[in-house]
Structure formats: structure tokens, C-alpha cells
Amino acid sequence: MADVREAARLLEKAQRVVVFTGAGISAESGVPTFRDALTGLWERFDAQSLATPQAFQDDPDLVWGWYEWRRHRVSSVHPNPGHLAVAAMRNAVVITQNVDDLHERAGSADTVHLHGSLFMPRCAQCGEAAALPSTTGEPDEGRRVWPPSCVRCAGLVRPGVVWFGEALPEAALEAAARAASDCDVLLTVGTSGMVYPAAEIPRLAARSGAAVIQVNPQPTPLDSVALVNLRGSAARVLPDLVATAWPDQAAEDPAAEPS
Ligand code: APR
């Protein structure tokens, strides 16, 4: 409790706040984290072996099927109280490693996506943006799906996410680095802090003099970077933090009917 009060005090007096999120913030919406075991056809793979340009080149229908299944799964779940609490921090810059759209659907419209998005496929050959395939329901877990062809060059369409070994989108990385070096408080939520260069963002904020607050039920390498470590789940801790920092301002659910 004392830690939540200390974190709330830091947030409340901060002029510039950055919220940096990872897979853990979406876990309570039902989106598995990257390090959760896969099921179905993907049981014998791990996410890291499917999320590479080589995997797509070797087995495009396996990889596209996996991403289509993930996209449908994300579309069928909802932002949780953690996402809503982040959206309630009105002036915060939200930087996420997640490829879902749950921050946006919670109300954080200008979220910076460091690792791309499940909803922005593009041609693997010429880079042309591609339309999302029209859907006929969720593909079965574990089903291979052949990727669509690019309308411009007939190359294979790939997911618009950053794979292991690929560069991060330059504009997103620049925006994230700028926000991290200029903020007073960086709140890091639900990330293992192990995948670079994204994991450099909270470290950059700390080096630039910001107070780092971490929300994670487990210890991470960012424990030593954080001034305050809040051990708990995002959906439980973040609403508590917002309510303590700004008692007059409850997290709003944009999906709720106006009263
Ligand atoms: N609330 C907060 N944190 C949680 C919760 C929760 N309910 N559940 C799990 N976590 C924490 C875990 O303890 C872990 O530290 O979320 C973190 C998830 O870690 P990862 O699966 O490694 O996810 P992330 O840090 O986002 O991974 C970074 O690596 O796999 C690539 O590109 C992928 O964007 C991803 C990146």
C-alpha cells in the first residue's frame, strides 16, 4: 500500500508521463503472453521460432495461420481495467510492444506501437500495405492458412509485426526514445524487459532522470531500474494507482452506455 501511495505521488506531480507496456497488460483480457506455451498445431513450436522472417519464408501458411488465429483471438476479447486505467491518464504517452489494439480500444488513441500491429499486413516483397482479409469466423487453432497475394506485385502478404532479427519502425522508435528521455515518470507494465531495443526505453528514461515505476507480478531485470516496484497484476494495480493519484477521476469504460 505504501508503495502504491509513493507511486501515485510521483505520478500526480509529474508533468510528463510515459506508460510502457508489454504482453502482461493484455494477459487478463485473455491474450496469452509471448512466453506462454502454445497449443494446437503450434504446440511443438515456441512463439520465438514462429516470429521470424525465416519461418515465414520456410512455411508461410503455418506462420500466416498463426497470426490470423491471433488476430481473431484479439478481436474477440476486450480491454481490461488495466488498459482503461492507462487511458484515464489523459496526457500520458503510451508506448507498447504489443501488436494488439487493446490500448486504442480502451481510449489511448495515439499509442506508439514499437513492434507493429496485427491489423496492418503488408507485402513481404514490395512493402505495399494490404487489406485485412475478410473474415469468415475464427480459423481453427492450429490451422494453416495460405497468405493473400499483394495487389501490386503478387508477392505474399505478411503480418505487419516486427519479427526477431528485424529493425523496429524508425518513427515509432524515435517517438518512444524522445518521450522516454523527456518524461518525469515512466510506468512500465507487464513486460519482461528482456527484448531489445524496446527494453532500452525504461532504462533510457531512468538515465535521463525520470522516476521509473514497475507493475509486474514477477521480478524482472527492470526491478533494479525501478524506483518503485508494484508486485501485482495490471488489471488490479493500475486502477488502484489511478484512483490513488487522481481520486476524482475514475477510469472510464468507453464501451459503457452513457448514464
Ligand atoms: N499483469 C502485469 N504483468 C503480467 C501479467 C499481468 N496480469 N501477467 C504476466 N505479466 C508479466 C510477466 O511476469 C512477464 O514479466 O508480463 C511479462 C510478459 O513478458 P513477455 O511475455 O516476455 O512479454 P514482453 O515483455 O511484452 O515481450 C517483449 O518480445 O516476444 C517478443 O515481440 C515480442 O513484444 C514482445 C517482446
Side-chain angles (χ1 to χ4, degrees), residues 195-208:
V195 177
Y196 286 85
E200 192 52 46
I201 295 298
R203 293 172 169 92
L204 172 60
R207 281 200 304 278
S208 309

Side-chain angles (χ1 to χ4, degrees), residues 22-25 27-28 33-35 97-98 115 162 164 189-193 195 215-218 220 232-235:
I25 195 167
E28 286 155 286
T33 72
F34 226 71
R35 278 151 244 288
Q97 298 162 86
N98 298 343
H115 290 166
V162 176
F164 288 100
V189 183
T191 176
S192 55
V195 177
V215 177
N216 199 309
Q218 305 290 336
T220 78
S233 87

Side-chain angles (χ1 to χ4, degrees), residues 20-29 32-36 47-48 51 67 70 80 96-99 114-115 161-164 188-196 198-199 214-221 230 232-238:
F20 175 69
T21 65
I25 195 167
S26 297
E28 286 155 286
S29 291
T33 72
F34 226 71
R35 278 151 244 288
D36 285 338
Q48 301 202 30
Y67 278 95
R70 287 178 61 192
N80 67 54
T96 191
Q97 298 162 86
N98 298 343
V99 293
L114 283 179
H115 290 166
V161 303
V162 176
W163 282 328
F164 288 100
T188 173
V189 183
T191 176
S192 55
M194 294 194 308
V195 177
Y196 286 85
Q214 176 171 237
V215 177
N216 199 309
Q218 305 290 336
T220 78
L230 303 175
S233 87
R236 191 180 60 74
V237 172
L238 290 177

